[in-house]
Amino acid sequence: MADSVPAALRQADVNIWKCATKGVQLRNVKPIMAYWCEYWAVNQILAKQLHTTNADILNYTTTLMDELEQTKAKFANEDAITDDTAAQAYVEQFAQETLDRAERVVKANRVTQQTATTFDAAATFFHVVNIWGPIDQETQQKIKYAKWNAARIIKAIKDGKDPNESNPKHEEVQQPAPDASTTPDLTDAFTGPRPSVTTQPEPEHGAHTMGPTPTSCEPDP
């Protein structure tokens, strides 16, 4: 089983690595969300030809493609797997619930480093919506807001400050987050999944683009 995401993938593309890692973490508790995280990761690996650059990534990709087919067969009666509209709604709801959970901690002024991890996870889950087409402006703002919160919490902890001191007030939460590109890169200080502080280009989209079979993942001679 593809239970371990290769380190080479993290070096090649940290956003794909984060999503794949979330898939592994969610398999036993939220298998449908895990499926879509790993589906997105495989599509990105194939689109960027990362499986041709490293043997570990190739082995991981071919194994995961087989497992995704098995999962799809196992949940053949689940609309959130078989129906695009239901699947997108499921992923969006899961991402929003993750963001809401982090925001409740902020409003309660009980922020810890785990809160930063939750915000970063929310951003990752919102990226998965890209499977079904370009991410709309509202979702892009949520991604920026989640990344900004993750970054400012980690910065406060790194500086030896109470991260709750920089919590947005309730009325501020409704406003657009500060431009993430102005936030310093603190990913090395992040011990969980590393947040991408600067605004990244949106990944390629396209539902069900995982057409190639595992044999088509053979590296170029």
Side-chain angles (χ1 to χ4, degrees):
M1 293 181 65
D3 292 331
S4 178
V5 183
L9 184 58
R10 180 173 187 167
Q11 297 169 358
D13 191 308
V14 70
N15 288 322
I16 298 176
W17 175 84
K18 284 193 295 183
C19 199
T21 299
K22 286 300 177 187
V24 173
Q25 294 171 348
L26 290 169
R27 279 184 186 175
N28 294 328
V29 290
K30 293 290 183 179
I32 293 177
M33 190 63 202
Y35 172 87
W36 288 117
C37 285
E38 294 179 329
Y39 183 98
W40 183 89
V42 165
N43 270 278
Q44 292 298 300
I45 290 170
L46 295 176
K48 297 182 179 184
Q49 296 289 302
L50 299 182
H51 59 288
T52 67
T53 65
N54 179 274
D56 289 340
I57 295 178
L58 173 61
N59 292 334
Y60 168 78
T61 304
T62 54
T63 300
L64 188 54
M65 288 175 72
D66 288 340
E67 292 179 2
L68 287 171
E69 288 300 317
Q70 294 170 16
T71 301
K72 187 176 181 179
K74 179 179 179 180
F75 292 97
N77 295 323
E78 290 283 351
D79 287 345
I81 290 287
T82 61
D83 181 80
D84 284 347
T85 301
Q88 182 174 351
Y90 179 94
V91 171
E92 289 177 342
Q93 180 178 349
F94 190 92
Q96 186 63 53
E97 288 174 352
T98 305
L99 181 61
D100 290 346
R101 187 164 64 250
E103 287 193 310
R104 285 195 295 271
V105 177
V106 169
K107 291 176 182 178
N109 287 315
R110 299 179 62 181
V111 169
T112 65
Q113 184 159 316
Q114 178 58 43
T115 315
T117 301
T118 304
F119 272 120
D120 191 62
T124 295
F125 297 144
F126 276 120
H127 270 300
V128 176
V129 178
N130 187 251
I131 289 171
W132 297 279
I135 296 176
D136 61 29
Q137 185 174 4
E138 180 182 357
T139 302
Q140 290 176 9
Q141 285 297 106
K142 289 178 180 179
I143 291 172
K144 290 181 180 179
Y145 176 74
K147 288 182 176 181
W148 170 74
N149 270 287
R152 62 101 183 164
I153 290 169
I154 292 302
K155 183 179 187 302
I157 294 173
K158 182 179 179 181
D159 292 345
K161 298 178 180 179
D162 180 357
N164 291 288
E165 293 178 357
S166 61
N167 286 342
K169 301 297 185 292
H170 178 68
E171 60 273 14
E172 293 176 348
V173 173
Q174 305 303 322
Q175 302 300 318
D179 187 352
S181 64
T182 63
T183 308
D185 189 346
L186 300 168
T187 54
D188 289 340
F190 200 76
T191 58
R194 294 162 52 191
S196 177
V197 179
T198 56
T199 303
Q200 300 292 333
E202 296 301 333
E204 296 85 356
H205 66 83
H208 308 299
T209 57
M210 194 176 66
T213 61
T215 56
S216 66
C217 288
E218 294 296 335
D220 296 332

